Amino acid sequence: ARPLEFGRPVQPLEHAEDLEAQRRSVVLFEALADAEKLRFARIHHDIIARFGRFPHRNAALGRKSTAEELLFLAEGGFAG
């Protein structure tokens, strides 16, 4: 499969607020051998490993942010 054909089905895993899905995403993007996509997959993984969710989604989902999440976002944390 060409990279776009392979990468698209992996995107839901990359955007899931589930650590196991994030782990699978990183493994699949490693197989894709696209350094830029893998870099973003690792960023997503690390955010979920740290917070268990994507802090930039909190306001839209009506979730209260923790002090650590607010600091992360204020310091330029990944915004999607």
Side-chain angles (χ1 to χ4, degrees), residues 18-79:
D18 176 81
L19 190 55
E20 184 55 34
Q22 290 296 326
R23 287 182 185 127
R24 289 180 18 221
S25 169
V26 170
V27 167
L28 291 169
F29 276 114
E30 285 173 341
L32 181 59
D34 181 319
E36 186 66 6
K37 287 182 175 146
L38 179 57
R39 183 175 78 82
F40 279 103
R42 287 182 173 147
I43 289 169
H44 284 88
H45 171 276
D46 293 348
I47 292 169
I48 296 302
R50 180 174 174 186
F51 299 109
R53 60 189 186 174
F54 291 113
H56 66 275
R57 293 181 180 172
N58 289 347
L61 296 174
R63 301 187 299 212
K64 184 171 171 52
S65 294
T66 66
E68 185 182 8
E69 288 172 333
L70 291 172
L71 181 61
F72 172 75
L73 293 171
E75 292 178 342
F78 188 73

